[in-house]
Amino acid sequence: ARMGRSCYLAAMSASTPSGGSVGTILRPAVTLGLLFGVTWLSFQGVAPTLEDGRLAILVGFVLLSASVAGHLAAEVGLPRITGFILVGILAGPSLLGLLPTGAVDDLRLIDRFALALIALLAGGELRMEDLRPQFRTILVTTLVVTGIVWVGVAGTVLAVRPLVPFLAEVPFSVSVGVALLLGVWAANSSPDLTVAVIEEKHAKGPLAEVILGITIVKDVVVIVLFTVTLALVTPLLNPEESFSAHALVDLAREVGGALVVGAGLGWIFSIYLGAGDTPRSPLATFLFAYVLVVVATELHVELLLTGVAAGFVIENLSEAGDRMIEGIRSVAVVIFAFFFAIAGASLDLAAVLRFGVAAVIIFLVRAVLTRWSTMYGARLAGASEEIRTGAWKGLISQGGVSLGLVLLIRDSFPDVGAGVVALAMAVIIGNILGGPVLLGRALEGAAADEEAASAH
């Protein structure tokens, strides 16, 4: 934590604007170039692994370069998260290779720790008194968006089948199975990206609450539907296998277990935090996040849902919940920088070249369906004009859960899994870069409207 904080402060001091638009962009850009150059020279002829402390150098590089890139992105009007992701893409295996596949895998433990903190932050943002008035809007919109995007994207995958070599070569029944899986996968949005942008913009109000609520509830719904679909299409993708009820048992354990375990751990931690102004070291929260990672891994439950459930219980049961959330926020920029840089490094740019046309079509169809279904669902729920027109912009992004779901397809069906992952990666790249920008614009517009209304 000290190292990350020091890296961030060093990066910010190195890239402090010097006045003038050219200086504010040029100075961090030069700093970023120097960071990449020094790291590249350091690893010439040497594979960056856990040995000899090289991984520590990579952690420092990721934190420094992502922080500077985030500052640079903010200077040109983009969310800082965009800068974090672009650094990961640039340094990752697909381009410069400063973070090769082995090093990215080595950093996964820290990555999961960051995800646990993000999940706690997301759960802590879900306050009962704020959610109660928006419950109908969140539930109705979630169900409408999930259903329409699932059916629409599944049909699109079948329509572009001739453009996707691995689908064109397999029986139509296999294509139907893949289409159903990619359809429900496309309905997923990214709670981690949503939380990051909302925190960066310090967004409050109904629009931010509804977007975050829909994103998290939809995440649970999609995980459930995806697991059920995975079990149901098994006979289509592997004719020698039949439907197994074990998948539904695993689903109950992973999703239901995550909610129960997270709520239980959150309740225990809320007792520790106590009431009133009882002082508690921020290190306790970090230790608690690590406990979440260990428990979720050992029990094979979904880490994101475990963390969200824990954060929700802590915020709503403990008077000290706000202090826990503030403690995470104080280092949130460091957590986000590392997490989203690693997410960017995990993306496969070669997939864009292999499935570019099909991916663009699926990306556009998903975006159009998300926009229309969100507006329709919000109207059915009787939501305000602000929510009807702006909430869809927060549902475009995809992140860690989306990557995890396609990797599950690969592991379950090796014959078509590699192709599915490549196609999904090509779609995710657009969503992971464009989603935060759209959400940032929506939140800025809502804040401007609120200021205008208060001025009158």
Side-chain angles (χ1 to χ4, degrees), residues 322-342:
D322 287 340
R323 285 187 280 121
M324 181 201 75
I325 299 302
E326 288 302 322
I328 299 176
R329 281 176 177 161
S330 67
V331 293
V333 67
V334 177
I335 299 167
F336 294 149
F338 187 87
F339 181 82
F340 292 111
I342 297 302

Side-chain angles (χ1 to χ4, degrees), residues 250-309:
D250 291 340
L251 169 66
R253 187 191 72 243
E254 291 178 11
V255 177
L259 297 176
V260 171
V261 169
L265 291 175
W267 177 71
I268 293 171
F269 193 59
S270 69
I271 295 174
Y272 166 78
L273 289 173
D277 297 324
T278 305
R280 289 287 185 264
S281 170
L283 291 178
T285 301
F286 289 94
L287 179 59
F288 179 66
Y290 182 73
V291 169
L292 287 177
V293 174
V294 174
V295 171
T297 302
E298 292 298 320
L299 297 181
H300 303 286
V301 296
E302 171 62 40
L303 175 59
L304 182 66
L305 297 183
T306 304
V308 168

Side-chain angles (χ1 to χ4, degrees), residues 163-433:
L163 301 176
V164 183
F166 79 93
L167 287 180
E169 297 169 358
V170 298
F172 185 72
S173 61
V174 174
S175 297
V176 171
V178 171
L180 289 172
L181 287 171
L182 286 178
V184 69
W185 164 83
N188 176 254
S189 299
S190 172
D192 38 22
L193 276 166
T194 302
V195 171
V197 177
I198 288 176
E199 287 297 318
E200 178 184 331
K201 301 296 182 182
H202 305 291
K204 302 291 182 183
L207 182 62
E209 292 162 5
V210 167
I211 288 175
L212 183 60
I214 292 174
T215 303
I216 292 175
V217 173
K218 189 151 64 70
D219 194 61
V220 178
V221 171
V222 167
I223 289 173
V224 171
L225 291 176
F226 183 88
T227 307
V228 173
T229 305
L230 193 68
L232 293 175
V233 303
T234 294
L236 296 177
L237 297 179
N238 284 334
E240 65 276 7
E241 294 187 24
S242 59
F243 170 76
S244 173
H246 290 300
L248 302 182
V249 175
D250 291 340
L251 169 66
R253 187 191 72 243
E254 291 178 11
V255 177
L259 297 176
V260 171
V261 169
L265 291 175
W267 177 71
I268 293 171
F269 193 59
S270 69
I271 295 174
Y272 166 78
L273 289 173
D277 297 324
T278 305
R280 289 287 185 264
S281 170
L283 291 178
T285 301
F286 289 94
L287 179 59
F288 179 66
Y290 182 73
V291 169
L292 287 177
V293 174
V294 174
V295 171
T297 302
E298 292 298 320
L299 297 181
H300 303 286
V301 296
E302 171 62 40
L303 175 59
L304 182 66
L305 297 183
T306 304
V308 168
F312 177 81
V313 169
I314 292 168
E315 174 62 30
N316 290 279
L317 289 188
S318 171
E319 295 181 20
D322 287 340
R323 285 187 280 121
M324 181 201 75
I325 299 302
E326 288 302 322
I328 299 176
R329 281 176 177 161
S330 67
V331 293
V333 67
V334 177
I335 299 167
F336 294 149
F338 187 87
F339 181 82
F340 292 111
I342 297 302
S346 302
L347 296 176
D348 180 11
L349 296 185
V352 178
L353 300 177
R354 293 200 297 275
F355 302 111
V357 176
V360 168
I361 294 172
I362 295 172
F363 168 79
L364 292 175
V365 168
R366 178 183 179 271
V368 170
L369 290 176
T370 299
R371 180 179 185 273
W372 180 81
S373 59
T374 304
M375 295 175 71
Y376 178 66
R379 187 167 67 251
L380 282 179
S384 66
E385 180 68 19
E386 177 188 60
I387 292 172
R388 290 202 303 269
T389 58
W392 71 273
K393 297 177 183 178
L395 305 181
I396 295 296
S397 62
Q398 289 185 296
V401 174
S402 302
L403 292 170
L405 292 179
V406 293
L407 293 178
L408 187 57
I409 299 176
R410 183 194 63 187
D411 297 339
S412 301
F413 309 108
D415 291 343
V416 296
V420 171
V421 170
L423 177 60
M425 283 284 194
V427 178
I428 285 178
I429 289 173
N431 295 327
I432 204 172
L433 290 174

Side-chain angles (χ1 to χ4, degrees), residues 59-133:
V59 170
F61 163 72
V62 168
L63 290 172
L64 275 166
S65 57
S67 298
V68 175
H71 181 79
L72 182 58
E75 290 294 341
V76 298
L78 295 174
R80 290 179 184 270
I81 286 57
T82 303
F84 302 158
I85 296 169
L86 287 174
V87 158
I89 293 174
L90 187 60
S94 295
L95 287 179
L96 298 181
L98 293 179
L99 292 172
T101 302
V104 173
D105 292 339
D106 289 341
L107 292 168
R108 286 298 177 196
L109 176 60
I110 307 175
D111 187 55
R112 283 177 63 78
F113 174 72
L115 178 60
L117 288 169
I118 292 171
L120 280 172
L121 196 55
E125 294 286 358
L126 299 175
R127 299 176 182 88
M128 286 299 298
E129 62 269 21
D130 297 332
L131 289 178
R132 205 171 283 115

